[in-house]
Each structure stands twice: as structure tokens, then as C-alpha cells.
Amino acid sequence: MKKRINRLFVIISVVAIVLSIGLVAAVYHSLFRKQMMSDLKEYADLLKELRWDEGAEEPEYFETMKDMEIRLTLVSPGGEVLYDNKADITQLKNHLDRPEIREALNSGEGQAVRNSETLASNTFYYALRLEDGSVLRVARNADSMVSMFTSVFPTILWIFAALILLSLGLAHFLTEKLLYPISKMAENMDSEISTADYEELIPFINTIQKQHQDIIKNARMRQEFTANVSHELKTPLTSISGYAELIETGMASETDIVRFAHGIRSSADRLLTLINDIIRLSELDGSEKEPVFELLNLREVAESCVENLRRNAEKSEVTLKVCGEDCRVQGDRQMVEELIYNLCDNAIRYNNAGGSVTVSTNICKSPEEGRKVGSVILSVQDTGIGIPKEHQDRIFERFYRVDKSRSKSTGGTGLGLAIVKHIVEKLGATIELESEPGRGTEIRVIFPEAKGI
Ligand code: ADP
């Protein structure tokens, strides 16, 4: 980037310098020409009062004019040269073909500039028609642009080199100054950048800083997750290994062996559930498994999930019921089933004997609490132990449990609500939680209105 900016600066400087030199030369040349013509006009105005009779004495200042290299020519209306202070008039051809003479004969005055053959000099001509119809022409030689340029070329070259050096130094200095805050930020992404200097860069910087923070946060979360996973896997594996060792030593009685085998089986089941949840979570985390949307009757899906959980509910002495209306939602059947299953499973496991779980599906009819009319609300309400306020924000985090032992004893992995949160995001829905310790919990998932597929 530095090299590019530097190169650009230098290119701009070279172009600017060359253009300036060219422009100055052009302006100078035009001014010079104007000045020359106005001088010649003045001479002609002075001389026009003279009588140009043959044999008349030449005024003194004719000599001065000769010294100044000024050529005077008098041409008859027919183009014949009547007088010339520098050439033999008998040698001169008819002058009617000279543009300045023709112009003067036509309009009263004429001008022309002609290059010498070598291009080293220019001759400036000014012609004026006198009262008697003849034309007085005043001419003067001057160095041409080419020769002027050739003579000042070495100086121009020096100035050019000096300016290039100066612009190289300036380009380097400015590039450094311009990029300093950015390179400082590259060293430390969290460093503040002066908003006054880089107003246009602020959105870009904010995005980069946010991405940087997200990357760091994600890396930390992954690290924590890996540590948690290892810890969670270790517990059932340790007990499996412990039971197996006891059986291996041959010290366990017949009944103990059955008990230990049961321990091994439940730890293995626990491991399996845990691994399944971890796999599911990583699938939902990535983008390889996108939902396959279809039109679903949410109430129907809820009823079939509830049926699958009825035995668990009975074991926990919890009554399960579905109410509400038929609601159409767009969703991935497997994901919606998983979502309802996890919510109901929690509502049963964190309930009290004799408690109840009510699953309801309703269409939002009035725009309350920011919900859109037509959106579908799935609610899973229990009369269980509830969640204290301070935990409510965190229960959707991976492995976050309010009561670890209750979660484990009821077969929880601490990943159910994290999976729910991912599914809700994938389906474009939102989730709400309302809970009071001792009274129960209600979790609502709001699906957008199904537009038909
Ligand atoms: P777990 O497998 O431990 O149930 P979840 O991710 O499903 O993990 O839930 C996280 C924690 O949130 C649970 O450990 C529990 O403390 C709390 N929780 C979830 N649902 C309920 C509920 N319906 N009532 C009370 N507490 C709940």
C-alpha cells in the first residue's frame, strides 16, 4: 500500500511539473508574441506619418531601427516593394502573396509570424495600410520557442530534478503520516484511531474492530467449550473405568456385578447423549445443514412430540397437555420437533410431582409486545421449580446449568437450550422466557407468519 501511494504521489508530481512547465512556456510564448506585435504596431503608427517619397532623406531613427534589427518595408497596393531598409528592392519579388500584406490591404492591418528554415528564429510582421493605399510593414526577428527552450533546457532539467527529489521526499513523508494510524491499529486492533483525520474510514474501522472482537470472543468460547466437553466426557468415562476395574479384580459379588453393569450402561448412555448433543450443536453451528423449509401444522407436530414424552411425564408424575389452534408455520420438521421436544423435556425434568406442562399454539391477533399480527406463538408452560432472575440470561449458553446435580440426575447435558437457541435462529424465529422460582416457567417461540411455499 505504501509503495502504491508513494508511486501515485510521484506520478502525480511528475505530471503536475511537466504540465506546469508546458503551461508556463505556452503562456510566456503568447505574452511574448502579444508584446512583440504591440511594439511593432507602435513603430508602424509612428512611421505612418512619414512621407515615403523616393529620394527623401531617411530620418535619423531609421539607423536606430536598423541597429534594433527592425526591418521596414513599403509595399505598393499592387504588391511591388517600394522601399526596404534591409534589402535591395530590385531583388524583391511581388509581396502580394504575403499574408500580412494581403490582410492589411483588405482590412487595414495584418500580422504574421514565420519560422526561419532552421526553426531557430521567428520573424514577426506587422503591416499597416497607409492613407495612399500602400502598405507599411514592420518586422523583427526573435528567438523561436524551440531555440528559447533549447537554451533554457539545462536549467529546466535542474529545476525538474530538484522538484522530483522534493516530491519524492514529500511523498514519503505524507505516506508515512497518512498510514501511521492505520499501521498502529494493525499492531493493536483495539487502539483508538483519530476520528477527525479519518472520518471516511470510521465505518470500515468499526467493522474490522467488531470482527476482531468477534473472532477473539469466538476463539474464547471455543476454548471454553472444548474444556467443558473434555470435563463432561471425563466424568462418565471415569465411572465406566471404575466399575470395569472392580469387576476385573473379581472382588465383586454376582449382585454387585449386575449393579456395576447397570452403572456402566447408564454412564455409556450418558456419554452417547452427550456426544449426540455435541454433534448436533456443531451441525447447527456450521452452514452445512441448512433447514429444509416446509409448511407444518405446529399443533400437530407439538402433539406428536408430547406423545413421545408421555411416558417420561408419567414417571415424573407430571401431566402433559396440548391446547390452542391449528397454526401453519414454515419450518424444518426435524428442527421444529427437536425444539418442542427439548422444551417439553426440560419442562418435565424441572417440574414437581403433581405439576403440569401445557403446550399451546396460537396465532397472534393483536400487535402486542412488538409481535406482528399473523405470527405464530408456541408456548411451553410448566408449573415447575422456575429459574431465578440472575440465571435467566445465561441458560441458553452451552453447559450452563442452574442446578448441576438436578440436571445430571435427570439426564441433562446442559446443551438442550443451546440447541434450541440455534434452531430458533435458523428458522428465523425469536424466543422469550418468563419464569418465577417456585411458580414455573414459560418459554415462547414466535414464528414468522407462513407465507406459503
Ligand atoms: P440441561 O440438559 O441441563 O437441562 P438445558 O440447556 O436444557 O440443559 O437447560 C439449561 C439449564 O436451564 C438447566 O440446567 C436448568 O437449570 C435450566 N432450565 C431449563 N429449562 C427449565 C425449566 N423449564 N424450568 C426450570 N429450569 C430450567
Side-chain angles (χ1 to χ4, degrees):
M1 188 173 172
K2 264 188 196 173
K3 263 192 194 161
R4 230 178 127 181
I5 298 182
N6 249 323
R7 215 182 308 138
L8 266 175
F9 266 130
V10 172
I11 292 173
I12 292 172
S13 314
V14 171
V15 172
I17 294 168
V18 170
L19 275 180
S20 319
I21 292 177
L23 276 173
V24 167
V27 170
Y28 173 75
H29 181 247
S30 120
L31 283 177
F32 177 74
R33 187 191 157 123
K34 252 193 204 155
Q35 186 58 45
M36 192 64 132
M37 284 302 177
S38 98
D39 286 354
L40 292 178
K41 187 173 169 3
E42 255 174 51
Y43 295 140
D45 282 341
L46 254 174
L47 293 167
K48 74 176 175 197
E49 304 302 333
L50 277 178
R51 291 186 57 240
W52 293 87
D53 298 340
E54 221 172 312
E57 215 175 291
E58 288 187 1
E60 259 177 42
Y61 55 81
F62 265 38
E63 279 310 307
T64 330
M65 287 204 170
K66 267 184 204 162
D67 293 345
M68 286 167 69
E69 301 273 310
I70 293 176
R71 182 179 170 192
L72 298 174
T73 316
L74 187 68
V75 182
S76 76
E80 186 195 340
V81 179
L82 302 173
Y83 172 80
D84 196 299
N85 69 344
K86 288 217 166 190
D88 178 4
I89 57 169
T90 54
Q91 305 291 313
L92 294 173
K93 282 191 253 157
N94 189 297
H95 267 39
L96 266 190
D97 59 340
R98 310 292 157 98
E100 70 280 5
I101 303 283
R102 231 180 305 134
E103 211 184 318
L105 282 171
N106 286 338
S107 60
E109 61 173 1
Q111 342 185 314
V113 182
R114 283 195 281 279
N115 290 328
S116 69
E117 264 167 27
T118 55
L119 293 179
S121 70
N122 287 332
T123 311
F124 291 79
Y125 295 96
Y126 178 79
L128 183 70
R129 193 177 62 204
L130 302 178
E131 269 173 16
D132 62 358
S134 56
V135 173
L136 168 63
R137 187 180 73 177
V138 190
R140 192 175 181 180
N141 271 347
D143 282 349
S144 72
M145 263 305 267
V146 177
S147 73
M148 264 191 267
F149 190 76
T150 328
S151 64
V152 291
F153 188 69
T155 325
I156 289 182
L157 211 64
W158 278 113
I159 296 176
F160 187 77
L163 285 177
I164 288 288
L165 272 180
L166 191 75
S167 59
L168 269 174
L170 256 175
H172 180 74
F173 171 74
L174 285 178
T175 318
E176 285 290 324
K177 194 167 158 4
L178 199 74
L179 295 181
Y180 175 72
I182 297 174
S183 46
K184 207 175 118 198
M185 198 181 86
E187 279 165 23
N188 177 10
M189 286 298 279
D190 296 322
S191 69
E192 281 288 315
I193 194 158
S194 163
T195 46
D197 287 347
Y198 295 99
E199 218 177 300
E200 299 79 3
L201 284 183
I202 297 303
F204 169 72
I205 290 164
N206 284 348
T207 313
I208 295 232
Q209 281 185 335
K210 182 156 184 321
Q211 278 176 356
H212 175 68
Q213 281 157 7
D214 284 352
I215 290 171
I216 291 181
K217 199 172 138 209
N218 276 346
R220 202 177 304 134
M221 270 170 57
R222 269 174 211 285
Q223 216 172 7
E224 264 172 37
F225 182 64
T226 318
N228 279 331
V229 167
S230 323
H231 179 78
E232 295 286 334
L233 293 177
K234 229 162 127 184
T235 325
L237 274 175
T238 316
S239 54
I240 289 174
S241 162
Y243 287 131
E245 198 183 337
L246 285 175
I247 298 171
E248 194 182 27
T249 52
M251 282 165 22
S253 65
E254 285 279 304
T255 42
D256 282 344
I257 289 178
V258 175
R259 204 160 47 83
F260 294 162
H262 177 75
I264 291 175
R265 206 171 71 92
S266 64
S267 290
D269 283 349
R270 198 175 151 59
L271 266 181
L272 264 177
T273 336
L274 198 64
I275 288 166
N276 279 338
D277 277 0
I278 293 169
I279 291 172
R280 187 69 186 128
L281 206 55
S282 78
E283 275 174 1
L284 290 167
D285 234 357
S287 54
E288 69 268 23
K289 276 225 168 142
E290 286 306 318
V292 183
F293 283 96
E294 57 182 303
L295 216 47
L296 305 169
N297 183 340
L298 195 63
R299 192 190 149 106
E300 242 174 50
V301 183
E303 270 164 0
S304 89
C305 286
V306 162
E307 273 328 299
N308 289 337
L309 281 163
R310 202 159 291 283
R311 261 180 63 82
N312 287 9
E314 277 162 12
K315 267 197 233 160
S316 309
E317 295 171 44
V318 170
T319 49
L320 251 180
K321 66 170 179 204
V322 180
C323 60
E325 51 193 324
D326 282 342
C327 305
R328 280 151 38 106
V329 293
Q330 266 170 21
D332 179 305
R333 178 175 283 273
Q334 194 201 341
M335 285 188 186
V336 176
E337 277 172 356
E338 208 172 345
L339 174 119
I340 302 175
Y341 187 95
N342 280 346
L343 292 179
C344 292
D345 184 44
N346 281 353
I348 297 168
R349 286 193 294 118
Y350 301 105
N351 217 317
N352 303 311
S356 70
V357 174
T358 313
V359 183
S360 62
T361 54
N362 288 296
I363 298 170
C364 176
K365 304 223 168 49
S366 61
E368 44 186 87
E369 294 171 41
R371 285 177 211 142
K372 280 194 185 144
V373 176
S375 50
V376 173
I377 306 160
L378 165 87
S379 151
V380 179
Q381 194 171 15
D382 65 61
T383 55
I385 58 171
I387 306 161
K389 262 251 152 340
E390 65 272 23
H391 296 284
Q392 289 183 6
D393 278 347
R394 302 201 57 191
I395 53 164
F396 294 95
E397 289 174 19
R398 296 159 184 207
F399 295 117
Y400 191 86
R401 294 145 162 140
V402 179
D403 180 348
K404 216 170 187 154
S405 59
R406 178 157 185 155
S407 160
K408 285 194 172 167
S409 65
T410 54
T413 57
L415 295 174
L417 286 184
I419 293 175
V420 165
K421 191 178 144 206
H422 267 80
I423 293 178
V424 164
E425 276 168 14
K426 291 242 169 193
L427 298 180
T430 50
I431 195 158
E432 294 171 2
L433 167 82
E434 216 176 297
S435 181
E436 205 179 312
R439 300 200 62 169
T441 303
E442 182 182 4
I443 295 186
R444 286 182 296 266
V445 179
I446 321 317
F447 292 89
E449 186 183 359
K451 296 259 166 25
I453 297 178

